[in-house]
Coordinates of all heavy atoms in Angstrom, one line a residue:
M1 N -176.3 -58.5 -158.5 CA -175.9 -57.1 -158.3 C -174.5 -56.9 -159.0 O -173.6 -57.8 -158.9 CB -175.7 -57.0 -156.8 CG -175.0 -55.7 -156.4 SD -174.5 -55.5 -154.7 CE -176.0 -55.7 -153.8
N2 N -174.4 -55.8 -159.6 CA -173.1 -55.5 -160.3 C -172.3 -54.5 -159.5 O -172.9 -53.6 -158.9 CB -173.4 -54.8 -161.7 CG -174.0 -55.8 -162.7 OD1 -173.7 -57.0 -162.6 ND2 -174.9 -55.3 -163.5
L3 N -171.1 -54.8 -159.3 CA -170.2 -54.0 -158.5 C -169.5 -53.0 -159.5 O -169.1 -53.3 -160.6 CB -169.2 -54.8 -157.7 CG -169.8 -55.8 -156.7 CD1 -168.7 -56.6 -156.1 CD2 -170.6 -55.1 -155.6
S4 N -169.3 -51.7 -159.0 CA -168.6 -50.8 -159.8 C -167.2 -51.2 -160.0 O -166.6 -51.9 -159.2 CB -168.7 -49.4 -159.2 OG -167.9 -49.4 -158.0
D5 N -166.6 -50.7 -161.0 CA -165.2 -50.9 -161.3 C -164.3 -50.4 -160.2 O -163.3 -51.0 -159.8 CB -164.8 -50.3 -162.6 CG -165.3 -51.1 -163.8 OD1 -165.7 -52.3 -163.6 OD2 -165.5 -50.5 -164.9
V6 N -164.7 -49.2 -159.6 CA -163.9 -48.6 -158.5 C -163.9 -49.6 -157.3 O -162.9 -49.9 -156.7 CB -164.5 -47.3 -158.1 CG1 -163.8 -46.7 -156.9 CG2 -164.3 -46.3 -159.3
F7 N -165.1 -50.1 -157.0 CA -165.2 -51.0 -155.8 C -164.4 -52.3 -156.1 O -163.7 -52.8 -155.2 CB -166.7 -51.3 -155.6 CG -166.9 -52.2 -154.4 CD1 -166.8 -51.6 -153.1 CD2 -167.1 -53.6 -154.5 CE1 -167.0 -52.4 -151.9 CE2 -167.3 -54.4 -153.4 CZ -167.2 -53.8 -152.1
K8 N -164.5 -52.8 -157.3 CA -163.7 -54.0 -157.6 C -162.2 -53.8 -157.4 O -161.5 -54.8 -157.1 CB -164.1 -54.4 -159.1 CG -165.5 -55.0 -159.2 CD -165.6 -55.3 -160.8 CE -167.0 -55.7 -161.0 NZ -167.3 -55.9 -162.4
N9 N -161.8 -52.6 -157.5 CA -160.3 -52.4 -157.5 C -159.8 -51.9 -156.1 O -158.7 -51.5 -156.0 CB -159.9 -51.3 -158.6 CG -160.1 -52.0 -160.0 OD1 -159.7 -53.1 -160.2 ND2 -160.6 -51.2 -160.9
V10 N -160.7 -51.8 -155.2 CA -160.3 -51.4 -153.8 C -159.4 -52.5 -153.2 O -159.7 -53.7 -153.2 CB -161.5 -51.2 -152.9 CG1 -161.1 -50.9 -151.5 CG2 -162.4 -50.0 -153.4
E11 N -158.2 -52.0 -152.7 CA -157.2 -52.9 -152.2 C -157.4 -53.0 -150.7 O -157.9 -52.1 -150.1 CB -155.8 -52.5 -152.5 CG -155.6 -52.6 -154.0 CD -154.2 -52.2 -154.4 OE1 -153.3 -52.2 -153.5 OE2 -154.0 -51.9 -155.6
E12 N -156.9 -54.0 -150.1 CA -156.9 -54.2 -148.6 C -156.1 -53.1 -148.0 O -155.1 -52.6 -148.5 CB -156.2 -55.5 -148.3 CG -156.1 -55.8 -146.8 CD -155.4 -57.1 -146.5 OE1 -154.8 -57.7 -147.4 OE2 -155.3 -57.5 -145.3
S13 N -156.6 -52.6 -146.9 CA -155.9 -51.5 -146.1 C -154.6 -52.0 -145.6 O -154.4 -53.0 -145.0 CB -156.8 -51.2 -144.8 OG -156.0 -50.4 -144.0
Q14 N -153.6 -51.2 -146.0 CA -152.2 -51.6 -145.6 C -152.1 -51.5 -144.1 O -151.3 -52.3 -143.4 CB -151.2 -50.7 -146.3 CG -151.1 -50.9 -147.8 CD -150.7 -52.3 -148.1 OE1 -149.7 -52.9 -147.6 NE2 -151.5 -53.0 -148.9
T15 N -152.8 -50.5 -143.5 CA -152.7 -50.4 -142.0 C -153.2 -51.7 -141.3 O -152.7 -52.2 -140.4 CB -153.5 -49.2 -141.5 OG1 -153.0 -48.0 -142.2 CG2 -153.5 -49.0 -140.1
L16 N -154.4 -52.1 -141.8 CA -155.0 -53.4 -141.2 C -154.2 -54.6 -141.5 O -154.1 -55.5 -140.7 CB -156.4 -53.5 -141.7 CG -157.4 -52.4 -141.3 CD1 -158.8 -52.7 -141.8 CD2 -157.5 -52.3 -139.7
K17 N -153.5 -54.6 -142.7 CA -152.7 -55.7 -143.0 C -151.5 -55.8 -142.1 O -151.1 -56.8 -141.6 CB -152.2 -55.5 -144.5 CG -151.5 -56.7 -145.0 CD -151.2 -56.4 -146.6 CE -150.5 -57.6 -147.2 NZ -150.3 -57.3 -148.6
I18 N -150.9 -54.6 -141.8 CA -149.7 -54.6 -140.9 C -150.1 -55.0 -139.5 O -149.5 -55.7 -138.8 CB -149.1 -53.2 -140.9 CG1 -148.4 -52.9 -142.3 CG2 -148.1 -53.0 -139.8 CD1 -148.0 -51.5 -142.5
S19 N -151.3 -54.5 -139.0 CA -151.8 -54.8 -137.7 C -152.1 -56.3 -137.6 O -151.7 -56.9 -136.6 CB -153.1 -54.1 -137.5 OG -153.6 -54.4 -136.2
A20 N -152.6 -56.9 -138.6 CA -152.9 -58.4 -138.6 C -151.6 -59.2 -138.5 O -151.4 -60.1 -137.8 CB -153.7 -58.8 -139.9
K21 N -150.5 -58.7 -139.2 CA -149.2 -59.3 -139.2 C -148.6 -59.2 -137.8 O -148.0 -60.2 -137.2 CB -148.3 -58.6 -140.2 CG -146.9 -59.2 -140.2 CD -146.8 -60.7 -140.6 CE -145.5 -61.2 -140.7 NZ -145.4 -62.6 -141.0
A22 N -148.8 -58.0 -137.1 CA -148.2 -57.8 -135.8 C -148.9 -58.8 -134.8 O -148.3 -59.4 -134.0 CB -148.4 -56.4 -135.4
K23 N -150.3 -58.9 -134.9 CA -151.1 -59.8 -134.0 C -150.6 -61.2 -134.2 O -150.5 -61.9 -133.3 CB -152.5 -59.6 -134.3 CG -153.1 -58.3 -133.8 CD -154.6 -58.2 -134.2 CE -155.2 -56.8 -133.7 NZ -156.6 -56.6 -134.0
E24 N -150.4 -61.6 -135.5 CA -149.9 -63.0 -135.8 C -148.5 -63.2 -135.1 O -148.3 -64.2 -134.6 CB -149.8 -63.1 -137.3 CG -149.2 -64.4 -137.8 CD -149.1 -64.4 -139.4 OE1 -150.0 -64.0 -140.1 OE2 -148.0 -64.8 -139.8
M25 N -147.7 -62.2 -135.2 CA -146.3 -62.3 -134.6 C -146.4 -62.4 -133.1 O -145.7 -63.2 -132.5 CB -145.4 -61.2 -135.0 CG -145.1 -61.1 -136.5 SD -144.3 -59.6 -137.1 CE -142.7 -59.7 -136.3
I26 N -147.3 -61.7 -132.6 CA -147.5 -61.7 -131.1 C -148.0 -63.1 -130.6 O -147.5 -63.7 -129.7 CB -148.4 -60.6 -130.6 CG1 -147.8 -59.2 -130.8 CG2 -148.9 -60.9 -129.2 CD1 -148.8 -58.0 -130.7
K27 N -148.9 -63.7 -131.4 CA -149.3 -65.1 -131.1 C -148.2 -66.1 -131.2 O -148.2 -67.1 -130.5 CB -150.5 -65.4 -132.1 CG -151.9 -64.8 -131.7 CD -152.9 -65.3 -132.7 CE -154.2 -64.6 -132.4 NZ -155.3 -65.0 -133.4
E28 N -147.2 -65.8 -132.1 CA -146.1 -66.7 -132.2 C -145.1 -66.5 -131.0 O -144.0 -67.1 -131.1 CB -145.4 -66.5 -133.5 CG -146.3 -66.9 -134.7 CD -145.7 -66.5 -136.1 OE1 -144.6 -65.9 -136.1 OE2 -146.4 -66.8 -137.1
G29 N -145.4 -65.5 -130.2 CA -144.5 -65.3 -129.1 C -143.4 -64.3 -129.3 O -142.5 -64.0 -128.5
I30 N -143.5 -63.6 -130.4 CA -142.5 -62.5 -130.8 C -142.9 -61.2 -130.0 O -144.1 -60.9 -130.0 CB -142.4 -62.3 -132.3 CG1 -142.1 -63.6 -133.0 CG2 -141.5 -61.2 -132.7 CD1 -142.2 -63.6 -134.6
D31 N -141.9 -60.6 -129.5 CA -142.2 -59.4 -128.7 C -142.4 -58.3 -129.7 O -141.4 -57.8 -130.3 CB -141.0 -59.1 -127.7 CG -141.3 -57.9 -126.8 OD1 -142.5 -57.5 -126.6 OD2 -140.3 -57.4 -126.2
V32 N -143.6 -57.8 -129.9 CA -143.9 -56.7 -130.8 C -144.8 -55.6 -130.2 O -145.6 -55.9 -129.4 CB -144.8 -57.4 -132.0 CG1 -145.2 -56.3 -133.0 CG2 -144.0 -58.4 -132.8
I33 N -144.5 -54.4 -130.5 CA -145.3 -53.3 -130.2 C -146.0 -52.9 -131.4 O -145.4 -52.4 -132.4 CB -144.4 -52.1 -129.6 CG1 -143.7 -52.6 -128.4 CG2 -145.3 -50.9 -129.3 CD1 -142.7 -51.5 -127.8
N34 N -147.3 -53.1 -131.4 CA -148.2 -52.9 -132.6 C -148.7 -51.4 -132.6 O -149.5 -51.1 -131.8 CB -149.3 -53.8 -132.6 CG -150.2 -53.7 -133.8 OD1 -149.9 -52.9 -134.7 ND2 -151.2 -54.5 -134.0
L35 N -148.0 -50.6 -133.4 CA -148.5 -49.2 -133.6 C -149.3 -48.9 -134.9 O -149.6 -47.8 -135.2 CB -147.2 -48.3 -133.5 CG -146.4 -48.4 -132.3 CD1 -145.1 -47.5 -132.5 CD2 -147.1 -48.0 -131.1
A36 N -149.7 -50.0 -135.5 CA -150.3 -49.9 -136.8 C -151.7 -49.1 -136.8 O -151.8 -48.3 -137.6 CB -150.5 -51.2 -137.4
V37 N -152.5 -49.5 -135.9 CA -153.9 -48.9 -135.9 C -154.2 -47.9 -134.8 O -155.3 -47.4 -134.7 CB -155.0 -50.0 -136.0 CG1 -154.9 -50.7 -137.3 CG2 -154.9 -50.9 -134.9
G38 N -153.2 -47.8 -133.9 CA -153.3 -46.8 -132.8 C -154.3 -47.3 -131.7 O -154.9 -46.5 -131.0
E39 N -154.5 -48.6 -131.5 CA -155.4 -49.1 -130.5 C -154.6 -49.3 -129.3 O -153.5 -49.9 -129.3 CB -156.0 -50.4 -130.9 CG -157.1 -50.2 -132.0 CD -157.8 -51.5 -132.2 OE1 -158.2 -52.2 -131.3 OE2 -158.0 -51.9 -133.4
P40 N -155.1 -48.9 -128.1 CA -154.3 -49.2 -126.9 C -154.4 -50.7 -126.5 O -155.3 -51.4 -127.0 CB -155.1 -48.4 -125.8 CG -156.4 -48.2 -126.4 CD -156.3 -48.1 -127.8
D41 N -153.5 -51.2 -125.8 CA -153.5 -52.6 -125.4 C -154.1 -52.8 -124.0 O -153.8 -53.7 -123.3 CB -152.0 -53.2 -125.4 CG -151.1 -52.4 -124.5 OD1 -151.5 -51.4 -123.8 OD2 -149.9 -52.9 -124.4
F42 N -155.0 -51.9 -123.6 CA -155.7 -52.0 -122.3 C -157.1 -51.5 -122.5 O -157.4 -50.8 -123.5 CB -154.9 -51.1 -121.3 CG -154.8 -49.7 -121.7 CD1 -155.8 -48.8 -121.4 CD2 -153.7 -49.2 -122.4 CE1 -155.7 -47.4 -121.8 CE2 -153.5 -47.9 -122.8 CZ -154.5 -47.0 -122.5
D43 N -158.0 -52.0 -121.6 CA -159.3 -51.5 -121.6 C -159.5 -50.1 -121.2 O -158.6 -49.5 -120.5 CB -160.2 -52.4 -120.7 CG -160.3 -53.9 -121.2 OD1 -160.1 -54.1 -122.4 OD2 -160.6 -54.7 -120.4
T44 N -160.6 -49.5 -121.7 CA -160.8 -48.1 -121.3 C -161.1 -48.0 -119.8 O -161.9 -48.8 -119.2 CB -162.1 -47.6 -122.0 OG1 -161.8 -47.7 -123.4 CG2 -162.4 -46.1 -121.6
P45 N -160.4 -47.2 -119.0 CA -160.6 -47.1 -117.6 C -162.0 -46.7 -117.2 O -162.7 -46.0 -118.0 CB -159.6 -46.0 -117.2 CG -158.6 -45.9 -118.3 CD -159.3 -46.3 -119.5
D46 N -162.5 -47.2 -116.1 CA -163.9 -47.0 -115.6 C -164.2 -45.6 -115.5 O -165.3 -45.2 -115.9 CB -164.1 -47.7 -114.3 CG -164.2 -49.2 -114.5 OD1 -164.5 -49.7 -115.6 OD2 -164.0 -49.9 -113.5
Y47 N -163.3 -44.7 -115.1 CA -163.7 -43.3 -114.9 C -164.0 -42.6 -116.3 O -164.8 -41.7 -116.4 CB -162.6 -42.5 -114.1 CG -161.4 -42.2 -114.9 CD1 -161.2 -40.9 -115.5 CD2 -160.3 -43.0 -114.9 CE1 -160.1 -40.6 -116.1 CE2 -159.1 -42.7 -115.6 CZ -159.1 -41.5 -116.2 OH -157.9 -41.2 -116.9
I48 N -163.3 -43.0 -117.3 CA -163.6 -42.5 -118.6 C -164.9 -43.0 -119.2 O -165.7 -42.3 -119.7 CB -162.4 -42.9 -119.6 CG1 -161.1 -42.1 -119.1 CG2 -162.8 -42.5 -121.0 CD1 -159.9 -42.5 -119.9
K49 N -165.2 -44.3 -119.0 CA -166.4 -44.9 -119.4 C -167.6 -44.2 -118.7 O -168.6 -43.9 -119.3 CB -166.5 -46.4 -119.1 CG -165.5 -47.2 -120.1 CD -165.7 -48.6 -120.0 CE -165.1 -49.3 -118.8 NZ -165.1 -50.7 -118.7
N50 N -167.5 -44.0 -117.4 CA -168.5 -43.3 -116.6 C -168.8 -41.9 -117.1 O -169.9 -41.5 -117.2 CB -168.2 -43.4 -115.1 CG -168.3 -44.8 -114.6 OD1 -169.0 -45.7 -115.1 ND2 -167.5 -45.1 -113.5
F51 N -167.6 -41.2 -117.4 CA -167.8 -39.8 -117.9 C -168.5 -39.8 -119.2 O -169.3 -39.0 -119.4 CB -166.4 -39.2 -117.9 CG -166.5 -37.7 -118.2 CD1 -166.7 -36.8 -117.2 CD2 -166.3 -37.2 -119.5 CE1 -166.8 -35.4 -117.4 CE2 -166.4 -35.9 -119.8 CZ -166.6 -35.0 -118.7
A52 N -168.1 -40.7 -120.0 CA -168.8 -40.8 -121.4 C -170.3 -41.1 -121.3 O -171.1 -40.5 -121.9 CB -168.1 -41.9 -122.3
K53 N -170.6 -42.0 -120.4 CA -172.1 -42.3 -120.1 C -172.8 -41.1 -119.6 O -174.0 -40.8 -120.1 CB -172.1 -43.5 -119.2 CG -171.7 -44.8 -119.6 CD -171.6 -45.9 -118.5 CE -170.9 -47.1 -119.0 NZ -170.8 -48.1 -117.9
K54 N -172.2 -40.4 -118.7 CA -172.8 -39.2 -118.2 C -173.0 -38.1 -119.3 O -174.0 -37.5 -119.4 CB -171.9 -38.6 -117.1 CG -172.4 -37.3 -116.4 CD -171.5 -36.9 -115.3 CE -172.0 -35.7 -114.6 NZ -171.7 -34.4 -115.2
A55 N -172.0 -38.0 -120.1 CA -172.1 -37.1 -121.3 C -173.3 -37.4 -122.2 O -174.0 -36.6 -122.6 CB -170.8 -36.9 -122.0
I56 N -173.4 -38.7 -122.5 CA -174.5 -39.2 -123.3 C -175.9 -38.9 -122.6 O -176.8 -38.4 -123.3 CB -174.4 -40.7 -123.6 CG1 -173.2 -40.9 -124.6 CG2 -175.7 -41.2 -124.3 CD1 -172.8 -42.3 -124.7
D57 N -175.9 -39.2 -121.3 CA -177.2 -38.9 -120.6 C -177.5 -37.4 -120.6 O -178.7 -37.1 -120.6 CB -177.1 -39.4 -119.1 CG -177.1 -40.9 -119.0 OD1 -177.5 -41.6 -120.0 OD2 -176.7 -41.4 -118.0
E58 N -176.5 -36.5 -120.6 CA -176.8 -35.1 -120.7 C -176.9 -34.6 -122.2 O -176.8 -33.4 -122.4 CB -175.6 -34.4 -120.0 CG -175.6 -34.7 -118.5 CD -174.4 -34.1 -117.8 OE1 -173.6 -33.5 -118.4 OE2 -174.3 -34.3 -116.6
N59 N -177.0 -35.5 -123.1 CA -177.2 -35.1 -124.5 C -176.0 -34.3 -125.1 O -176.1 -33.5 -126.0 CB -178.5 -34.4 -124.8 CG -179.6 -35.3 -124.6 OD1 -179.7 -36.5 -125.1 ND2 -180.6 -34.8 -123.9
K60 N -174.8 -34.6 -124.5 CA -173.6 -33.9 -125.1 C -173.0 -34.8 -126.2 O -171.9 -35.4 -126.1 CB -172.6 -33.7 -124.0 CG -173.1 -32.7 -122.9 CD -172.1 -32.5 -121.8 CE -172.6 -31.5 -120.9 NZ -171.7 -31.3 -119.7
T61 N -173.8 -35.0 -127.3 CA -173.4 -35.9 -128.3 C -173.2 -35.2 -129.6 O -173.1 -35.9 -130.7 CB -174.5 -37.0 -128.5 OG1 -175.8 -36.3 -128.8 CG2 -174.7 -37.8 -127.2
R62 N -173.1 -33.9 -129.6 CA -173.0 -33.2 -131.0 C -171.5 -32.8 -131.2 O -170.7 -32.8 -130.3 CB -173.7 -31.9 -130.9 CG -175.2 -32.0 -130.5 CD -176.0 -32.0 -131.8 NE -177.4 -32.1 -131.4 CZ -178.3 -32.8 -132.1 NH1 -178.0 -33.4 -133.1 NH2 -179.6 -32.8 -131.7
Y63 N -171.2 -32.4 -132.4 CA -169.8 -32.0 -132.6 C -169.5 -30.7 -131.9 O -170.5 -29.9 -131.8 CB -169.6 -31.8 -134.2 CG -169.5 -33.1 -135.0 CD1 -170.5 -33.5 -135.8 CD2 -168.4 -33.9 -134.8 CE1 -170.4 -34.7 -136.6 CE2 -168.3 -35.1 -135.5 CZ -169.3 -35.4 -136.4 OH -169.2 -36.6 -137.1
T64 N -168.3 -30.5 -131.5 CA -168.0 -29.2 -130.9 C -167.5 -28.3 -132.0 O -167.3 -28.7 -133.2 CB -166.8 -29.4 -129.9 OG1 -165.7 -29.9 -130.5 CG2 -167.3 -30.4 -128.8
D65 N -167.2 -27.0 -131.7 CA -166.5 -26.1 -132.6 C -165.2 -26.8 -133.0 O -164.6 -27.5 -132.2 CB -166.2 -24.8 -131.9 CG -167.5 -24.0 -131.7 OD1 -168.5 -24.2 -132.4 OD2 -167.5 -23.1 -130.8
A66 N -164.7 -26.4 -134.2 CA -163.5 -27.0 -134.6 C -162.3 -26.7 -133.7 O -161.4 -27.4 -133.5 CB -163.1 -26.4 -136.0
S67 N -162.4 -25.6 -132.9 CA -161.3 -25.2 -132.0 C -161.4 -25.9 -130.7 O -160.5 -25.9 -129.8 CB -161.3 -23.7 -131.8 OG -162.5 -23.3 -131.2
G68 N -162.5 -26.7 -130.5 CA -162.7 -27.5 -129.3 C -163.6 -26.8 -128.3 O -164.1 -25.7 -128.5
I69 N -163.8 -27.5 -127.2 CA -164.7 -27.0 -126.1 C -164.0 -26.0 -125.3 O -162.8 -26.2 -124.8 CB -165.1 -28.2 -125.2 CG1 -165.9 -29.2 -126.0 CG2 -166.0 -27.7 -124.0 CD1 -166.1 -30.6 -125.3
V70 N -164.6 -24.8 -125.2 CA -163.9 -23.7 -124.5 C -163.5 -24.0 -123.1 O -162.3 -23.7 -122.7 CB -164.9 -22.4 -124.4 CG1 -164.3 -21.3 -123.6 CG2 -165.2 -22.0 -125.8
E71 N -164.3 -24.7 -122.3 CA -163.9 -25.0 -120.9 C -162.7 -25.9 -120.9 O -161.8 -25.8 -120.0 CB -165.1 -25.7 -120.2 CG -166.3 -24.7 -120.0 CD -167.3 -24.7 -121.1 OE1 -167.0 -25.3 -122.1 OE2 -168.2 -23.9 -121.0
L72 N -162.7 -26.8 -121.8 CA -161.6 -27.8 -121.9 C -160.3 -27.1 -122.3 O -159.2 -27.3 -121.7 CB -161.9 -28.9 -122.9 CG -160.7 -29.9 -123.1 CD1 -160.3 -30.6 -121.8 CD2 -161.1 -31.0 -124.1
R73 N -160.4 -26.2 -123.3 CA -159.2 -25.4 -123.7 C -158.7 -24.5 -122.6 O -157.5 -24.5 -122.3 CB -159.5 -24.6 -124.9 CG -159.7 -25.4 -126.2 CD -160.2 -24.6 -127.4 NE -159.9 -23.3 -127.4 CZ -160.6 -22.3 -127.8 NH1 -161.9 -22.6 -128.2 NH2 -160.3 -21.0 -127.8
E74 N -159.6 -23.9 -121.8 CA -159.2 -23.1 -120.6 C -158.5 -24.0 -119.6 O -157.5 -23.6 -119.0 CB -160.4 -22.4 -120.1 CG -160.9 -21.3 -121.0 CD -162.3 -20.8 -120.5 OE1 -162.9 -21.2 -119.6 OE2 -162.6 -19.7 -121.1
A75 N -159.0 -25.1 -119.3 CA -158.5 -26.1 -118.3 C -157.0 -26.5 -118.7 O -156.1 -26.6 -118.0 CB -159.3 -27.3 -118.1
I76 N -156.9 -26.8 -120.1 CA -155.6 -27.2 -120.5 C -154.6 -26.0 -120.4 O -153.4 -26.2 -120.0 CB -155.7 -27.7 -122.0 CG1 -156.5 -29.0 -122.1 CG2 -154.3 -27.9 -122.6 CD1 -156.9 -29.4 -123.5
A77 N -155.1 -24.8 -120.8 CA -154.2 -23.7 -120.7 C -153.7 -23.4 -119.3 O -152.6 -23.1 -119.0 CB -154.9 -22.4 -121.2
E78 N -154.6 -23.6 -118.3 CA -154.4 -23.4 -116.9 C -153.3 -24.4 -116.4 O -152.4 -24.1 -115.7 CB -155.7 -23.6 -116.0 CG -155.5 -23.1 -114.6 CD -155.1 -21.7 -114.5 OE1 -155.5 -20.8 -115.2 OE2 -154.3 -21.4 -113.5
K79 N -153.5 -25.7 -116.8 CA -152.6 -26.7 -116.5 C -151.2 -26.5 -117.0 O -150.2 -26.6 -116.3 CB -153.1 -28.1 -116.9 CG -152.1 -29.2 -116.6 CD -152.6 -30.5 -116.9 CE -151.6 -31.6 -116.6 NZ -152.0 -32.6 -115.8
L80 N -151.1 -26.0 -118.2 CA -149.9 -25.7 -118.9 C -149.1 -24.5 -118.2 O -147.9 -24.5 -118.1 CB -150.0 -25.5 -120.4 CG -150.4 -26.7 -121.2 CD1 -150.7 -26.3 -122.6 CD2 -149.3 -27.8 -121.1
K81 N -149.9 -23.6 -117.7 CA -149.3 -22.4 -117.0 C -148.6 -22.9 -115.7 O -147.6 -22.3 -115.3 CB -150.4 -21.4 -116.6 CG -150.9 -20.6 -117.8 CD -152.0 -19.6 -117.3 CE -152.5 -18.9 -118.4 NZ -153.6 -18.0 -118.0
K82 N -149.2 -23.9 -115.0 CA -148.6 -24.4 -113.8 C -147.3 -25.2 -114.2 O -146.4 -25.3 -113.5 CB -149.6 -25.3 -113.1 CG -150.8 -24.6 -112.6 CD -151.7 -25.5 -111.9 CE -153.0 -24.8 -111.4 NZ -153.9 -25.6 -110.8

């Protein structure tokens, strides 16, 4: 198999490289806050997992409008008013 010249020249992701360095430093006992890839340092809470499972069961698996889900936007607006 021949690889394209573009593929041959793809470099390692700098974001992943920084994240790997931060994980290495943490293993060495250095106090590091890794903001490289935006991953939380905790598991997804059960109520969020259950809500996601319910959404899948209800076939809510399509993209929304670019402006978001109307009911969610309304709920956010109501919260901000308070």
